[in-house]
Amino acid sequence: MAVRAIRGATQLDVDEREHLLERSAELVKAVLEANDLENEDLISILFTVTSDLRSEFPAVAGRQIGLTDVPLMCMQEIPVPHALPRVVRLMVHTETPRSRDKIQHVYLHGAVALRPDLTGAQ
């Protein structure tokens, strides 16, 4: 079984606590579903947010959906002037039998613009 990193991101419409929690939970669930992962497969999840998001920690959404024994950490992205605004990113570390080319990275809402090569949005 290999250790793999899975990337994902979502863009929020506004910086409001419930909206951030909803979109963050949606992103985590989508990554887990796309890669056939269960809670026990997870090693850790790193979340980042752009500097314009301050209403809540995205890790709270992970806890709310049951990831209570998975290490979760939140950080702020580098404030690059031309960066896409209101973005929550994550990197999931997991044990999986999938080869690297079978890993499904997930980009939702406006964040598909970040990696059109991975989302088919080219």
Side-chain angles (χ1 to χ4, degrees), residues 99-113:
S99 60
R100 189 177 296 186
D101 64 324
K102 299 296 184 204
I103 294 294
Q104 296 295 307
H105 304 282
V106 177
Y107 292 80
L108 303 174
H109 305 287
V112 297

PDB file of all heavy atoms in Angstrom, residues 99-113:
ATOM      1  N   SER A  99      -2.471   3.589  -7.926  1.00  0.00           N
ATOM      2  CA  SER A  99      -1.235   4.158  -8.458  1.00  0.00           C
ATOM      3  C   SER A  99      -1.426   5.667  -8.595  1.00  0.00           C
ATOM      4  O   SER A  99      -2.556   6.174  -8.600  1.00  0.00           O
ATOM      5  CB  SER A  99      -0.896   3.539  -9.806  1.00  0.00           C
ATOM      6  OG  SER A  99      -1.933   3.788 -10.728  1.00  0.00           O
ATOM      7  N   ARG A 100      -0.343   6.382  -8.701  1.00  0.00           N
ATOM      8  CA  ARG A 100      -0.397   7.847  -8.770  1.00  0.00           C
ATOM      9  C   ARG A 100      -1.282   8.328  -9.916  1.00  0.00           C
ATOM     10  O   ARG A 100      -2.014   9.301  -9.777  1.00  0.00           O
ATOM     11  CB  ARG A 100       1.015   8.407  -8.924  1.00  0.00           C
ATOM     12  CG  ARG A 100       1.059   9.916  -8.773  1.00  0.00           C
ATOM     13  CD  ARG A 100       2.453  10.447  -8.861  1.00  0.00           C
ATOM     14  NE  ARG A 100       3.216   9.915  -7.745  1.00  0.00           N
ATOM     15  CZ  ARG A 100       4.448  10.273  -7.453  1.00  0.00           C
ATOM     16  NH1 ARG A 100       5.074  11.133  -8.201  1.00  0.00           N
ATOM     17  NH2 ARG A 100       5.056   9.742  -6.431  1.00  0.00           N
ATOM     18  N   ASP A 101      -1.237   7.637 -11.045  1.00  0.00           N
ATOM     19  CA  ASP A 101      -2.029   8.079 -12.200  1.00  0.00           C
ATOM     20  C   ASP A 101      -3.527   7.803 -12.040  1.00  0.00           C
ATOM     21  O   ASP A 101      -4.329   8.291 -12.812  1.00  0.00           O
ATOM     22  CB  ASP A 101      -1.503   7.450 -13.498  1.00  0.00           C
ATOM     23  CG  ASP A 101      -1.637   5.941 -13.527  1.00  0.00           C
ATOM     24  OD1 ASP A 101      -1.474   5.295 -12.473  1.00  0.00           O
ATOM     25  OD2 ASP A 101      -1.901   5.402 -14.610  1.00  0.00           O
ATOM     26  N   LYS A 102      -3.913   7.058 -11.016  1.00  0.00           N
ATOM     27  CA  LYS A 102      -5.335   6.765 -10.756  1.00  0.00           C
ATOM     28  C   LYS A 102      -5.925   7.669  -9.664  1.00  0.00           C
ATOM     29  O   LYS A 102      -7.118   7.610  -9.387  1.00  0.00           O
ATOM     30  CB  LYS A 102      -5.529   5.307 -10.354  1.00  0.00           C
ATOM     31  CG  LYS A 102      -5.104   4.327 -11.416  1.00  0.00           C
ATOM     32  CD  LYS A 102      -5.946   4.451 -12.666  1.00  0.00           C
ATOM     33  CE  LYS A 102      -5.536   3.377 -13.665  1.00  0.00           C
ATOM     34  NZ  LYS A 102      -5.841   3.706 -15.024  1.00  0.00           N
ATOM     35  N   ILE A 103      -5.088   8.484  -9.052  1.00  0.00           N
ATOM     36  CA  ILE A 103      -5.570   9.427  -8.032  1.00  0.00           C
ATOM     37  C   ILE A 103      -6.415  10.508  -8.701  1.00  0.00           C
ATOM     38  O   ILE A 103      -6.047  11.042  -9.748  1.00  0.00           O
ATOM     39  CB  ILE A 103      -4.380  10.062  -7.280  1.00  0.00           C
ATOM     40  CG1 ILE A 103      -3.644   9.007  -6.470  1.00  0.00           C
ATOM     41  CG2 ILE A 103      -4.819  11.240  -6.422  1.00  0.00           C
ATOM     42  CD1 ILE A 103      -4.425   8.403  -5.336  1.00  0.00           C
ATOM     43  N   GLN A 104      -7.552  10.809  -8.094  1.00  0.00           N
ATOM     44  CA  GLN A 104      -8.458  11.832  -8.616  1.00  0.00           C
ATOM     45  C   GLN A 104      -8.370  13.079  -7.749  1.00  0.00           C
ATOM     46  O   GLN A 104      -8.840  13.097  -6.612  1.00  0.00           O
ATOM     47  CB  GLN A 104      -9.899  11.303  -8.617  1.00  0.00           C
ATOM     48  CG  GLN A 104     -10.119  10.126  -9.520  1.00  0.00           C
ATOM     49  CD  GLN A 104      -9.925  10.501 -10.980  1.00  0.00           C
ATOM     50  OE1 GLN A 104     -10.531  11.442 -11.475  1.00  0.00           O
ATOM     51  NE2 GLN A 104      -9.076   9.762 -11.660  1.00  0.00           N
ATOM     52  N   HIS A 105      -7.757  14.141  -8.288  1.00  0.00           N
ATOM     53  CA  HIS A 105      -7.722  15.434  -7.619  1.00  0.00           C
ATOM     54  C   HIS A 105      -9.051  16.124  -7.913  1.00  0.00           C
ATOM     55  O   HIS A 105      -9.642  15.923  -8.978  1.00  0.00           O
ATOM     56  CB  HIS A 105      -6.542  16.248  -8.130  1.00  0.00           C
ATOM     57  CG  HIS A 105      -5.228  15.516  -7.976  1.00  0.00           C
ATOM     58  ND1 HIS A 105      -4.559  15.423  -6.773  1.00  0.00           N
ATOM     59  CD2 HIS A 105      -4.496  14.803  -8.864  1.00  0.00           C
ATOM     60  CE1 HIS A 105      -3.460  14.714  -6.934  1.00  0.00           C
ATOM     61  NE2 HIS A 105      -3.398  14.314  -8.194  1.00  0.00           N
ATOM     62  N   VAL A 106      -9.539  16.930  -6.973  1.00  0.00           N
ATOM     63  CA  VAL A 106     -10.884  17.489  -7.083  1.00  0.00           C
ATOM     64  C   VAL A 106     -10.842  19.003  -6.970  1.00  0.00           C
ATOM     65  O   VAL A 106     -10.352  19.544  -5.972  1.00  0.00           O
ATOM     66  CB  VAL A 106     -11.804  16.908  -5.986  1.00  0.00           C
ATOM     67  CG1 VAL A 106     -13.177  17.544  -6.046  1.00  0.00           C
ATOM     68  CG2 VAL A 106     -11.887  15.386  -6.114  1.00  0.00           C
ATOM     69  N   TYR A 107     -11.391  19.681  -7.969  1.00  0.00           N
ATOM     70  CA  TYR A 107     -11.496  21.137  -7.979  1.00  0.00           C
ATOM     71  C   TYR A 107     -12.946  21.492  -8.241  1.00  0.00           C
ATOM     72  O   TYR A 107     -13.528  21.054  -9.233  1.00  0.00           O
ATOM     73  CB  TYR A 107     -10.560  21.734  -9.034  1.00  0.00           C
ATOM     74  CG  TYR A 107      -9.113  21.540  -8.649  1.00  0.00           C
ATOM     75  CD1 TYR A 107      -8.469  20.324  -8.872  1.00  0.00           C
ATOM     76  CD2 TYR A 107      -8.418  22.535  -7.995  1.00  0.00           C
ATOM     77  CE1 TYR A 107      -7.163  20.115  -8.463  1.00  0.00           C
ATOM     78  CE2 TYR A 107      -7.102  22.344  -7.587  1.00  0.00           C
ATOM     79  CZ  TYR A 107      -6.479  21.140  -7.829  1.00  0.00           C
ATOM     80  OH  TYR A 107      -5.188  20.944  -7.415  1.00  0.00           O
ATOM     81  N   LEU A 108     -13.533  22.267  -7.320  1.00  0.00           N
ATOM     82  CA  LEU A 108     -14.950  22.584  -7.375  1.00  0.00           C
ATOM     83  C   LEU A 108     -15.190  24.084  -7.553  1.00  0.00           C
ATOM     84  O   LEU A 108     -14.356  24.903  -7.153  1.00  0.00           O
ATOM     85  CB  LEU A 108     -15.633  22.114  -6.087  1.00  0.00           C
ATOM     86  CG  LEU A 108     -15.490  20.634  -5.736  1.00  0.00           C
ATOM     87  CD1 LEU A 108     -16.101  20.366  -4.360  1.00  0.00           C
ATOM     88  CD2 LEU A 108     -16.115  19.760  -6.807  1.00  0.00           C
ATOM     89  N   HIS A 109     -16.351  24.385  -8.101  1.00  0.00           N
ATOM     90  CA  HIS A 109     -16.806  25.765  -8.279  1.00  0.00           C
ATOM     91  C   HIS A 109     -15.744  26.543  -9.061  1.00  0.00           C
ATOM     92  O   HIS A 109     -15.159  25.988  -9.990  1.00  0.00           O
ATOM     93  CB  HIS A 109     -17.184  26.376  -6.930  1.00  0.00           C
ATOM     94  CG  HIS A 109     -18.201  25.522  -6.211  1.00  0.00           C
ATOM     95  ND1 HIS A 109     -19.520  25.450  -6.614  1.00  0.00           N
ATOM     96  CD2 HIS A 109     -18.079  24.661  -5.158  1.00  0.00           C
ATOM     97  CE1 HIS A 109     -20.171  24.594  -5.827  1.00  0.00           C
ATOM     98  NE2 HIS A 109     -19.308  24.093  -4.938  1.00  0.00           N
ATOM     99  N   GLY A 110     -15.467  27.773  -8.731  1.00  0.00           N
ATOM    100  CA  GLY A 110     -14.510  28.570  -9.495  1.00  0.00           C
ATOM    101  C   GLY A 110     -13.089  28.062  -9.450  1.00  0.00           C
ATOM    102  O   GLY A 110     -12.246  28.460 -10.264  1.00  0.00           O
ATOM    103  N   ALA A 111     -12.791  27.162  -8.516  1.00  0.00           N
ATOM    104  CA  ALA A 111     -11.425  26.639  -8.378  1.00  0.00           C
ATOM    105  C   ALA A 111     -11.026  25.732  -9.536  1.00  0.00           C
ATOM    106  O   ALA A 111      -9.847  25.412  -9.677  1.00  0.00           O
ATOM    107  CB  ALA A 111     -11.268  25.904  -7.055  1.00  0.00           C
ATOM    108  N   VAL A 112     -11.968  25.335 -10.387  1.00  0.00           N
ATOM    109  CA  VAL A 112     -11.577  24.536 -11.559  1.00  0.00           C
ATOM    110  C   VAL A 112     -10.593  25.314 -12.425  1.00  0.00           C
ATOM    111  O   VAL A 112      -9.783  24.714 -13.129  1.00  0.00           O
ATOM    112  CB  VAL A 112     -12.790  24.070 -12.395  1.00  0.00           C
ATOM    113  CG1 VAL A 112     -13.694  23.154 -11.599  1.00  0.00           C
ATOM    114  CG2 VAL A 112     -13.567  25.233 -12.957  1.00  0.00           C
ATOM    115  N   ALA A 113     -10.618  26.636 -12.332  1.00  0.00           N
ATOM    116  CA  ALA A 113      -9.686  27.468 -13.102  1.00  0.00           C
ATOM    117  C   ALA A 113      -8.239  27.294 -12.648  1.00  0.00           C
ATOM    118  O   ALA A 113      -7.311  27.604 -13.405  1.00  0.00           O
ATOM    119  CB  ALA A 113     -10.083  28.938 -12.991  1.00  0.00           C
TER     120      ALA A 113
END
